[in-house]
Amino acid sequence: MTAAFPLLLFGTAFLLQITLFRVFLPHAPDTMLLATVYCGVKYMKIRGYQIGIIAGLVQDIFSTGLLGINLLSKGLIGFHIGWLRENHLLNPNSPPAWAAMIFLGTLFNEFAIRIYFAGIFGAQFTSSEIIYAAMTQALLNIILGLPLFYLLDRLQARLKQKPGYGNL
Amino acid sequence: MKELFKRYENVILLLALFIFASILLANNVKGKTAANPLERFALTLTSPLQRFVMFSYHTVSDAWFGYIALVNTNKANIQLRKQVEKARFKSGLLLEELKKYRRVDSLLSYHPIARSGFQVAEVIAWDSTNVAQTLVINKGNRDNVYENMVALTHDGLVGRVVTATGHASRVLMITDARSAVDAYVQNSRARCIVVGQNKRQCIIRYLSRDAEVKPGDTLISSGLGGIFPKGLPLGKVSSLEPGEGMLFYRAEMKPGFNLDKIEEVLIMTGPSNRMEKGVKK
């Protein structure tokens, strides 16, 4: 099973995340987290784990001096969501399940990065600040993630019907 | 072997992830803000794409605001003409003041910042995480922009260049937790250190409780530390609390520049105290 098409879409979304989104919004949705959640939900544990690591690494590379933290956080998110899916604890076609996974994934990711900054660089965050930032980020991710996941599902379903696309 | 992997698959995968991430994280702590070759490569590779996206946005936005949205321009034009007349009168008076100032100033040693050369750079991308506070600008080594050069706007200091490639550079803003600037309060000359917190406000450390400071006071760079020249405005004191039984104030600073509206920055490329020491070229 190839994930080339979703990756291309998420790659474009990531480019927009670090450029255009920030012209209009103080915060941008985390498209690499969405890619991880999507692959975890759709392609099970191993693919979720692999995509999580790659997505996290890409995100780390596009920041400075953060190499490793997003890789770790997104690798774990992809792995655990994929594990839930593999053990039939998650319906891969249910929007509420997508929303729940995006929400939980965002919370984990935000906490992980802030703990890293607090622990290594001495940044001071109050718990209310972390919760507010994580909730805002989760909301943004859900707002972008649900239509994106739906669009991807529809496109993949349409591509499957065409001969020559195999099980893309 | 295969069976063993299958049996302990979850443990092996998670262990591999932790080990790999730990190696990378340990490397970060050593370098703190130093860019690795991967980051440089990514910046070089993607800066044309980032430029293209921002160029497309500016073209559409210019077309909209330059042509389509020019309704009611005549009214605004008349009002502006009146304002220009008033401003001309005022500028005549100020010109005299300026001449006097120049005469006095020429007698004194001129400030190094004013002698610096500047490069205007456009912001083409932001940080990939919403937590870290970095910007990507469209000027690099080929435009005489190098690491540790200072980025500022007319509202004050923005940060310093941490990664410079041929055509693009990354700026670490003073609001990032990895940034610290030695400063003093402009009026009272009380010394302190402004440290980023990955938030809109910076924290002010080591501001003595004996100092005469009030909210709204301006903070300027002290020039110590060798990167930021003396006298650059940083922002204003936004909150001030005398912590009980403490030697220092608990204070915060609102940076002078607007985080949400930052589109261009000035990069100090000319002679300053830091340049004279020799920047990597």
Side-chain angles (χ1 to χ4, degrees):
Chain A
M1 190 181 285
T2 174
F5 182 67
L7 283 183
L8 189 71
L9 197 75
F10 282 114
T12 312
F14 179 66
L15 184 66
L16 294 178
Q17 176 196 328
I18 59 171
T19 53
L20 270 189
F21 274 124
R22 293 295 296 268
V23 174
F24 303 107
L25 295 166
H27 286 272
D30 188 342
T31 51
M32 291 293 104
L33 180 101
L34 294 177
T36 306
V37 172
Y38 184 80
C39 290
V41 166
K42 295 288 172 184
Y43 307 127
M44 313 254 188
K45 186 175 69 188
I46 300 291
R47 189 51 67 89
Y49 175 79
Q50 290 168 343
I51 296 297
I53 288 176
I54 295 167
L57 189 64
V58 168
Q59 205 165 15
D60 286 335
I61 288 170
F62 281 87
S63 193
T64 279
L66 291 180
L67 211 54
I69 185 64
N70 278 298
L71 176 144
L72 178 64
S73 139
K74 288 187 172 73
L76 287 173
I77 292 167
F79 178 85
H80 284 102
I81 292 176
W83 182 85
L84 288 176
R85 160 86 170 87
E86 215 166 83
N87 289 285
H88 308 289
L89 297 167
L90 184 70
N91 178 1
N93 300 314
S94 150
W98 298 344
M101 289 303 108
I102 295 172
F103 181 76
L104 292 174
T106 309
L107 289 195
F108 179 78
N109 191 56
E110 289 291 312
F111 278 97
I113 295 176
R114 280 182 166 77
I115 287 168
Y116 172 71
F117 265 102
I120 306 291
F121 303 111
Q124 292 172 355
F125 302 105
T126 60
S127 48
S128 60
E129 278 170 352
I130 298 179
I131 291 166
Y132 175 76
M135 291 294 174
T136 313
Q137 189 65 50
L139 192 68
L140 267 172
N141 288 346
I142 290 171
I143 288 170
L144 180 75
L146 291 186
L148 203 64
F149 286 13
Y150 178 74
L151 180 78
L152 273 166
D153 265 11
R154 291 295 299 261
L155 285 170
Q156 296 220 49
R158 197 167 273 193
L159 283 173
K160 264 185 191 171
Q161 288 168 2
K162 286 189 179 178
Y165 280 93
N167 55 357
L168 180 78
Chain B
M1 189 70 180
K2 239 181 183 181
E3 268 181 26
L4 194 74
F5 180 79
K6 202 77 188 161
R7 199 170 160 192
Y8 296 108
E9 189 187 48
N10 290 354
V11 179
I12 292 168
L13 287 175
L14 289 176
L15 208 64
L17 178 63
F18 276 110
I19 292 170
F20 185 44
S22 304
I23 294 167
L24 294 174
L25 287 169
N27 200 41
N28 281 345
V29 177
K30 266 192 272 169
K32 274 201 169 183
T33 58
N36 59 52
L38 264 178
E39 288 172 21
R40 277 177 201 284
F41 177 71
L43 193 61
T44 311
L45 197 73
T46 54
S47 63
L49 269 175
Q50 291 164 349
R51 275 167 201 259
F52 173 74
V53 172
M54 292 313 283
F55 172 78
S56 310
Y57 162 71
H58 286 305
T59 309
V60 173
S61 145
D62 287 350
W64 177 265
F65 290 110
Y67 297 97
I68 300 161
L70 289 182
V71 185
N72 296 331
T73 313
N74 195 34
K75 264 186 195 172
N77 195 24
I78 292 165
Q79 271 184 340
L80 286 172
R81 277 175 193 278
K82 282 180 187 169
Q83 282 178 16
V84 167
E85 278 170 26
K86 280 182 192 171
R88 268 191 193 147
F89 175 71
K90 276 185 187 171
S91 77
L93 298 175
L94 288 172
L95 205 63
E96 277 307 303
E97 289 290 316
L98 184 68
K99 280 178 184 169
K100 194 165 83 183
Y101 166 77
R102 277 187 182 154
R103 281 197 300 276
V104 176
D105 192 59
S106 63
L107 296 173
L108 302 166
S109 62
Y110 207 53
H111 199 281
I113 294 167
R115 283 192 281 125
S116 290
F118 292 100
Q119 273 281 359
V120 180
E122 197 181 306
V123 176
I124 55 169
W126 282 260
D127 199 273
S128 63
T129 66
N130 281 324
V131 185
Q133 309 265 315
T134 65
L135 301 169
V136 179
I137 53 169
N138 67 345
K139 294 281 161 76
N141 296 162
R142 294 185 189 189
D143 311 287
N144 210 19
V145 172
Y146 296 95
E147 274 149 28
N148 283 334
M149 282 188 170
V150 175
L152 58 151
T153 66
H154 62 277
D155 293 318
L157 182 66
V158 174
R160 67 185 168 96
V161 176
V162 286
T163 315
T165 64
H167 291 290
S169 306
R170 190 177 287 279
V171 173
L172 183 79
M173 292 198 270
I174 56 168
T175 45
D176 192 285
R178 292 163 287 178
S179 179
V181 186
D182 197 274
Y184 43 56
V185 182
Q186 196 169 32
N187 293 335
S188 65
R189 314 311 276 182
R191 288 283 297 282
C192 57
I193 293 176
V194 173
V195 182
Q197 289 293 294
N198 288 0
K199 293 185 272 189
R200 282 158 191 281
Q201 310 267 331
C202 296
I203 202 160
I204 303 170
R205 286 200 178 139
Y206 311 118
L207 179 60
S208 169
R209 281 185 63 178
D210 298 334
E212 284 178 24
V213 190
K214 58 184 186 304
D217 279 358
T218 302
L219 291 165
I220 55 172
S221 58
S222 73
L224 291 178
I227 290 180
F228 302 107
K230 189 177 178 181
L232 292 174
L234 299 172
K236 288 187 188 303
V237 177
S238 57
S239 73
L240 196 69
E241 282 175 36
E244 256 179 59
M246 290 170 77
L247 291 171
F248 306 108
Y249 276 116
R250 239 181 240 172
E252 285 190 324
M253 182 199 84
K254 189 177 186 294
F257 66 93
N258 188 340
L259 267 170
D260 300 330
K261 305 275 177 195
I262 190 158
E263 287 184 32
E264 287 104 16
V265 291
L266 289 171
I267 304 292
M268 278 179 69
T269 58
S272 69
N273 52 355
R274 178 192 44 75
M275 289 293 290
E276 280 147 19
K277 283 176 194 164
V279 171
K280 187 173 77 179
K281 281 202 176 188

